[in-house]
Amino acid sequence: MASEELACKLERRLRREEAEESGPQLAPLGAPPEPEPPARAPTASADAELSAQLSRRLDINEGAARPRRCRVFNPYTEFPEFSRRLIKDLESMFKLYDAGRDGFIDLMELKLMMEKLGAPQTHLGLKSMIKEVDEDFDGKLSFREFLLIFHKAAAGELQEDSGLMALAKLSEIDVALEGVKGAKNFFEAKVQALSSASKFEAELKAEQDERKREEEERRLRQAAFQKLKANFNT
């Protein structure tokens, strides 16, 4: 009995393989059509993604969509009006108030920053500050958006009594000294057109010279220490 069942199974399998090799066959006349498998319902995430894509497409068609920026951000090329030293000082200030160490300054961290600078803001005022430079609509400040505050201040694009202008003015960075390509007043100066390439190279050379000077001073201190140690041992 078992051998007969095995033979039937083998025969059915052979027939199925032959049918697959010969291609699909038409159903015999009069036979009811095979039911199609039910369509899978779209998931919530797929619906949300499709909705976002359609929304952005509508914005593009209406000219209201903001261009998507490259993930790689280079402050020295995107803000050539700032010196390397100023950008580093602004980066240090940004990291100082980025308490979460996530690369962003959120609403509460901005609140703390403005209180430390002596210009506390209301909740709506803080949201308005972020909104003015929030390019990706995430409700917090990236380092690029933080630099954008000082760029707008230098270009005269901020209201004199705005929270962002207060932030720029009350920062402890000496912008007149570090500042915007030799501009005497950072907040009134317009961006001046100078050769960014030559300026960049000059700043690199200055950094290298300063590093060499520090290494030479360290070497001299070590030599003096060794000499003093030798005199002490004799």
Side-chain angles (χ1 to χ4, degrees):
M1 191 71 175
S3 60
E4 291 180 0
E5 290 183 4
L6 181 59
C8 291
K9 289 182 180 179
L10 289 175
E11 185 177 359
R12 285 198 299 270
R13 182 174 179 182
L14 289 173
R15 288 178 181 177
R16 186 167 59 250
E17 292 178 354
E18 290 176 358
E20 291 177 355
E21 291 177 358
S22 60
Q25 296 180 353
L26 297 176
L29 293 177
E34 296 182 0
E36 295 183 359
R40 295 177 61 184
T43 61
S45 60
D47 286 343
E49 183 178 357
L50 179 59
S51 176
Q53 291 177 354
L54 291 175
S55 176
R56 177 167 176 79
R57 176 54 57 187
L58 288 174
D59 289 342
I60 291 174
N61 293 339
E62 296 174 0
R66 297 193 181 189
R68 290 178 175 173
R69 298 188 174 274
C70 178
R71 291 179 178 273
V72 178
F73 166 55
N74 187 336
Y76 304 109
T77 57
E78 291 202 36
F79 296 91
E81 68 272 22
F82 294 160
S83 68
R84 287 175 57 85
R85 186 170 179 179
L86 175 60
I87 289 177
K88 289 183 177 180
D89 289 342
L90 290 173
E91 185 179 14
S92 298
M93 180 181 180
F94 181 86
K95 290 180 177 179
L96 177 65
Y97 291 100
D98 177 19
R101 298 293 185 267
D102 58 354
F104 296 94
I105 292 179
D106 60 22
L107 189 73
M108 294 306 297
E109 291 167 342
L110 181 61
K111 179 178 183 294
L112 176 63
M113 175 190 291
M114 298 308 294
E115 290 174 353
K116 291 286 187 180
L117 293 176
Q121 303 288 314
T122 64
H123 184 77
L124 291 178
L126 294 168
K127 292 181 70 174
S128 178
M129 289 174 64
I130 293 177
K131 184 178 179 181
E132 191 164 353
V133 291
D134 188 12
E135 295 183 318
D136 52 7
F137 306 104
D138 60 355
K140 51 191 177 181
L141 297 177
S142 65
F143 181 49
R144 185 188 188 285
E145 292 163 346
F146 185 72
L147 291 179
L148 195 60
I149 297 173
F150 295 87
H151 170 81
K152 285 178 173 288
E157 298 176 3
L158 297 178
Q159 296 293 329
E160 189 65 26
D161 58 348
S162 67
L164 291 184
M165 180 59 83
L167 189 158
K169 283 185 174 182
L170 294 173
S171 65
E172 297 178 356
I173 299 170
D174 189 353
V175 183
L177 177 63
E178 310 292 349
V180 183
K181 294 185 173 178
K184 292 182 179 180
N185 191 323
F186 175 78
F187 303 106
E188 296 178 357
K190 301 298 181 181
V191 175
Q192 303 175 13
L194 295 176
S195 173
S196 298
S198 59
K199 180 174 180 295
F200 188 81
E201 293 174 359
E203 291 175 345
L204 279 178
K205 186 176 186 306
E207 287 184 0
Q208 292 172 354
D209 292 342
E210 183 177 0
R211 193 177 300 112
K212 289 180 180 179
R213 179 181 57 79
E214 292 175 352
E215 291 176 355
E216 180 65 17
E217 290 178 355
R218 189 181 303 108
R219 187 186 63 81
L220 292 175
R221 287 196 301 269
Q222 290 176 349
F225 176 77
Q226 293 296 334
K227 183 177 181 181
L228 180 63
K229 183 179 178 180
N231 292 337
F232 182 79
N233 292 334
T234 56

